[in-house]
Amino acid sequence: MSRPLLFLLVLLTACSSKKDRPVAADEPSYTVFFIDKSLSNQPGGADTEAHARYERVIREAITQHVHQKGDRVAVYFVHDNTAKARALSLTARTPLPDLEGASPTDRDAAQTDYELQLTREQATLQRQVLAKLDQPNSGSSNQHTDLWGSLDVLAQANESGRTVWAYYLSDMVESMTGPGRRDFHKTPPATTAQADEWAKTDAKLLGEQYPIGSPAVRLVLPFSATASAKENKPTITRYWHTLFEALGASGVEE
């Protein structure tokens, strides 16, 4: 084999190997799952479409966001006191491999070991979060839905300095009593314009109380794509899109 051809082969091999390796540590992540345990959001069994959707999102989120030592995963139950309902708090322990100055053989061995450890840890985290998904809530706390309480959690997560990813496994029907609270079971926004108006009004108050930073928010609704507007009220979803955007979220997806 000629020298130019040999050099090209070595270069291509090196580039191919390098692209799949973690070069440097990313900013640590903080993934928060808000799992609705109120009466209005009971999937009804492990074989339902909603449960399958929730399970898939949990698995995908942990795979996407947990990559290194220090990445955090937390679960909060959504009911009448969401801010105080932390059900799980875990921190990843798998360190990124130190590849600086390593030979190609040592780099391959370190990379393989890292991927094996990470895959095992991600699977463990997934099992623990999924166990909370299936945990019933038969207490009186299931009579109300305090989604505003999740903003307190996000404000605390923002203080950690991590990149925050928030997943709401919920029908997003806020249902609280008392002055200044919303009860979307009794009075949902009647129109898109009203949803925007209410959200912007609430954001002025809530933003001062809960500086959530710029989390990426995903709303994982239990409804099918063909659900009627009576079941999956689009004005309620619009309210949350507008509220989170007004509070500074980097993005809101469904």
Side-chain angles (χ1 to χ4, degrees):
M1 182 182 295
S2 66
R3 286 188 177 182
L5 183 57
L6 178 60
F7 174 78
L8 179 60
L9 179 61
V10 172
L11 180 62
L12 290 174
T13 302
C15 292
S16 176
S17 300
K18 185 177 180 180
K19 70 179 181 180
D20 296 325
R21 304 180 189 280
V23 178
D26 294 326
E27 185 174 293
S29 67
Y30 194 154
T31 306
V32 189
F33 296 100
F34 295 103
I35 301 178
D36 198 333
K37 295 293 181 177
S38 62
L39 282 177
S40 68
N41 192 78
Q42 298 300 317
D47 60 340
T48 67
E49 182 180 344
H51 188 282
R53 186 181 305 115
Y54 289 167
E55 181 175 334
R56 182 176 67 253
V57 167
I58 288 169
R59 292 185 184 279
E60 291 175 350
I62 291 174
T63 299
Q64 290 171 6
H65 306 314
V66 176
H67 295 124
Q68 62 187 328
K69 182 178 180 180
D71 288 344
R72 291 186 62 182
V73 174
V75 173
Y76 282 77
F77 288 158
V78 175
H79 48 49
D80 68 0
N81 192 9
T82 300
K84 303 296 183 182
R86 187 173 69 185
L88 196 65
S89 180
L90 305 166
T91 304
R93 299 180 179 180
T94 302
L96 289 169
D98 183 5
L99 304 178
E100 185 176 355
S103 67
T105 300
D106 290 341
R107 289 170 66 90
D108 287 340
Q111 178 71 14
T112 299
D113 183 60
Y114 159 76
E115 292 173 354
L116 180 61
Q117 289 186 53
L118 181 63
T119 298
R120 288 175 175 172
E121 182 163 46
Q122 288 174 340
T124 298
L125 296 176
Q126 289 166 348
R127 284 195 299 270
Q128 290 178 278
V129 174
L130 289 172
K132 295 302 178 183
L133 174 64
D134 294 329
Q135 183 174 319
N137 177 28
S138 57
S140 60
S141 65
N142 66 17
Q143 300 298 310
H144 296 282
T145 308
D146 179 24
L147 287 162
W148 279 10
S150 69
L151 302 177
D152 191 358
V153 176
L154 293 182
Q156 294 179 49
N158 179 46
E159 293 177 358
S160 73
R162 293 173 167 84
T163 300
V164 179
W165 306 82
Y167 291 81
Y168 287 81
L169 282 59
S170 170
D171 59 9
M172 302 307 293
V173 180
E174 176 86 354
S175 179
M176 294 294 290
T177 59
R181 297 307 302 261
R182 301 287 183 188
D183 188 343
F184 289 157
H185 278 303
K186 293 182 178 180
T187 312
T191 63
T192 296
Q194 188 173 60
D196 289 339
E197 179 186 352
W198 287 4
K200 291 174 182 177
T201 297
D202 294 341
K204 291 178 181 178
L205 172 65
L206 296 171
E208 295 178 1
Q209 190 173 359
Y210 305 117
I212 68 172
S214 54
V217 177
R218 182 172 176 186
L219 310 180
V220 188
L221 305 173
F223 315 109
S224 68
T226 58
S228 66
K230 183 178 180 180
E231 181 183 12
N232 179 15
K233 297 181 176 61
T235 58
I236 292 179
T237 306
R238 176 59 176 257
Y239 168 88
W240 291 107
H241 274 268
T242 303
L243 180 71
F244 281 120
E245 289 168 358
L247 291 174
S250 61
V252 184
E253 298 181 356
E254 290 180 44

